[in-house]
Amino acid sequence: MQSTILGIVTFIIVFGILVVIHEYGHLYFAKKAGILVREFSIGMGPKIFAHIGKDGTAYTIRILPIGGYVRMAGWGEDTTEIKTGQVANLTLNEAGIVTRINLSKRYLNRSSLPMNVTSFDFEDKLEISGLVLTENKTYQVDHDATIVEEDGTEVRIAPLDVQYQNASVWGRMMTNFAGPLNNFILGALAFVLLVFMQGGVENTSTNVIRVSAESAVAAAGLESGDAITQINGTEITNWEELKQSVSAATETIDEKPQLQITYERDGQTKTVMVTPKETNGNYQIGVSPSLKTGFWDKVVGGLQWAWESLFMILNALKNLILRPSLDQVGGPIAIFQVSSEAAQNGLTSVIYILAALSMNVGIVNLLPIPVLDGGKILINIIEVIRRKPLKKEIEDGMTMVGVVIMVVLMLVVTWNDIMRAFF
């Protein structure tokens, strides 16, 4: 039971960090592009906390601690809907201009003016009309007015000049790319942190080794910091030569092999006989590369690890496209299982999973499927080539196709996860 709870908590934290960092990238660059972000939410479902920042964004925390989202003003992102005849309580400033439209059941201002709304325009004319008592009235709406939605969430209205589609194409492109970019940055930082936690980065260019406790070479008297110079008479100058020599010396031997290992310590050379230990059909002597422990060695080593991880994921994606198989993909259930296993193995395993998943999220979101960031970037590129935007109907149609593809894919992947986990 305790391990299950630990797994759930780890999954929530890892998944939450990935989504929040991703969405913050969109938030930051949307602001830079002049796009109004109406809401930045951590979690899903009913709201439990909300605060409107000076930037006009409503920062909310919702009850389900999984995921999050950014609501950007504009078509395909977020719109305001008020039904004809719906009651709205209007807050007016001293000049008689509306500064808040309250659609919820909550009374936020005792002096607010109730209206049965007949029409409104919060994009161009910035006005709202309706029946006040027995008289039809029209009021001007402030550019930065807020609207309290039926669930109690208060957000800014969205005039045309702060909508997504009215930002520059390059601003929109950077806004769309910023989410995956943040995931790549998070992954790289996590890999760098891992290198610092393990004390350094492996130095494969030398023959200096680290010795595992209770290993074959430890029993023979070798210690971390020794340099292996020969194995069965073969000269050793780096880690790759050491691995190849051990493999070559053990692959054709049926009985327990013995290796003649020559090593140096404090300027003295010694030779010992070592009997490798068999693990899953492979013989191991129990050594690993020495570590480079300089600050910049660790930073560069972590970034190289991130780079290698990125290309490993890209290669896996290429193989998946060339040879499709559901066994090569996983959904939320698979992520939960991996997170749970990592939680049992300690903090370093959790950070590694966070780093690897962050890279995965970044790459998947760049796939050219309209509902994903990559699909939006593709639309931006088409707009650059055509030198004019796509029609709203075409863009909406492409997005709907993307939604259908992603929903079907998620259902299939989740079902496959269930079959693998429980049957």
Side-chain angles (χ1 to χ4, degrees):
M1 181 65 179
Q2 186 176 359
S3 62
T4 301
I5 293 175
L6 180 61
I8 293 172
V9 171
T10 302
F11 169 75
I12 290 173
I13 292 174
V14 169
F15 194 72
I17 290 174
L18 292 178
V19 174
V20 169
I21 293 297
H22 178 95
E23 297 299 340
Y24 181 77
H26 293 313
L27 170 73
Y28 181 82
F29 281 96
K31 290 180 181 179
K32 292 294 183 181
I35 302 167
L36 171 64
V37 176
R38 303 184 76 193
E39 181 183 0
F40 178 82
S41 174
I42 298 175
M44 308 292 283
K47 170 178 59 68
I48 57 178
F49 171 81
H51 169 71
I52 295 184
K54 293 180 180 179
D55 56 2
T57 299
Y59 296 89
T60 61
I61 298 177
R62 296 182 177 269
I63 197 167
L64 298 177
I66 300 177
Y69 57 86
V70 165
R71 289 173 60 185
M72 283 184 276
W75 82 48
E77 296 291 337
D78 186 57
T79 56
T80 297
E81 292 295 336
I82 302 178
K83 298 175 183 177
T84 301
Q86 184 172 352
V87 176
N89 289 289
L90 310 182
T91 299
L92 309 178
N93 63 15
E94 294 179 354
I97 297 175
V98 177
T99 58
R100 176 193 278 159
I101 304 101
N102 183 7
L103 303 179
S104 72
K105 304 289 185 182
R106 299 166 56 200
Y107 289 97
L108 303 176
N109 186 345
R110 294 184 180 275
S111 62
S112 61
L113 182 68
M115 168 187 280
N116 290 93
V117 180
T118 56
S119 65
F120 66 95
D121 182 350
F122 298 154
E123 295 186 341
D124 186 18
K125 295 180 180 179
L126 300 183
E127 62 183 26
I128 185 169
S129 300
L131 192 65
V132 178
L133 297 178
T134 58
E135 186 178 357
N136 285 310
K137 288 193 173 184
T138 297
Y139 292 94
Q140 288 298 120
V141 177
D142 187 76
H143 181 277
D144 297 333
T146 60
I147 181 166
V148 183
E149 298 173 322
E150 293 183 41
D151 68 351
T153 302
E154 186 170 5
V155 295
R156 283 258 306 271
I157 64 170
L160 287 173
D161 62 304
V162 295
Q163 290 190 9
Y164 170 84
Q165 67 271 17
N166 287 318
S168 71
V169 64
W170 300 109
R172 281 178 278 145
M173 192 179 297
M174 193 62 227
T175 298
N176 293 325
F177 179 66
L181 175 63
N182 263 20
N183 285 124
F184 296 140
I185 293 173
L186 173 63
L189 291 176
F191 277 118
V192 170
L193 176 60
L194 280 172
V195 171
F196 273 87
M197 291 177 69
Q198 71 181 20
V201 62
E202 291 185 345
N203 185 5
T204 57
S205 64
T206 179
N207 56 5
V208 178
I209 58 161
R210 284 181 295 155
V211 174
S212 302
E214 300 181 3
S215 63
V217 291
L222 274 75
E223 300 175 356
S224 295
D226 292 343
I228 294 179
T229 57
Q230 289 185 4
I231 296 180
N232 286 356
T234 301
E235 294 290 331
I236 304 297
T237 60
N238 58 49
W239 176 251
E240 191 60 35
E241 291 176 355
L242 188 153
K243 287 198 305 180
Q244 291 177 356
S245 294
V246 172
S247 178
T250 58
E251 63 183 359
T252 59
I253 298 177
D254 295 328
E255 300 180 358
K256 283 189 176 182
Q258 276 203 322
L259 306 182
Q260 185 183 60
I261 294 181
T262 301
Y263 66 95
E264 289 183 358
R265 181 191 301 166
D266 299 328
Q268 295 184 343
T269 300
K270 296 181 180 180
T271 299
V272 295
M273 299 303 295
V274 175
T275 302
K277 294 183 178 181
E278 184 181 3
T279 304
N280 298 325
N282 296 316
Y283 288 98
Q284 299 176 348
I285 61 174
V287 298
S288 56
S290 61
L291 297 178
K292 293 188 283 187
T293 58
F295 177 83
W296 289 112
D297 289 325
K298 294 175 183 177
V299 172
V300 172
L303 294 177
Q304 287 177 337
W305 194 357
W307 187 257
E308 291 167 2
S309 173
L310 188 65
F311 275 89
M312 183 175 67
I313 296 168
L314 287 172
N315 189 56
L317 181 61
K318 181 192 73 173
N319 292 334
L320 179 63
I321 294 172
L322 295 177
R323 294 182 290 276
S325 171
L326 285 177
D327 292 332
Q328 299 180 54
V329 295
I333 294 176
I335 295 175
F336 169 73
Q337 290 177 319
V338 171
S339 300
S340 297
E341 292 174 7
Q344 302 302 316
N345 295 327
L347 181 60
T348 54
S349 294
V350 173
I351 294 176
Y352 175 77
I353 291 300
L354 174 67
L357 286 176
S358 192
M359 291 294 189
N360 268 283
V361 169
I363 290 174
V364 169
N365 269 278
L366 286 178
L367 294 177
I369 300 174
V371 72
L372 298 177
D373 296 323
K376 296 177 182 178
I377 293 171
L378 176 62
I379 291 173
N380 297 147
I381 293 172
I382 292 173
E383 182 176 338
V384 170
I385 295 173
R386 296 177 73 239
R387 297 186 178 181
K388 60 180 180 179
L390 292 174
K391 292 182 178 179
K392 180 180 183 299
E393 294 76 11
I394 295 176
E395 187 170 333
D396 287 347
M398 293 174 65
T399 301
M400 184 56 63
V401 171
V403 169
V404 172
I405 291 173
M406 292 306 298
V407 169
V408 171
L409 182 61
M410 183 57 67
L411 289 174
V412 172
V413 168
T414 301
W415 176 254
N416 192 55
D417 283 351
I418 293 172
M419 296 301 292
R420 283 189 298 194
F422 303 106
F423 300 98

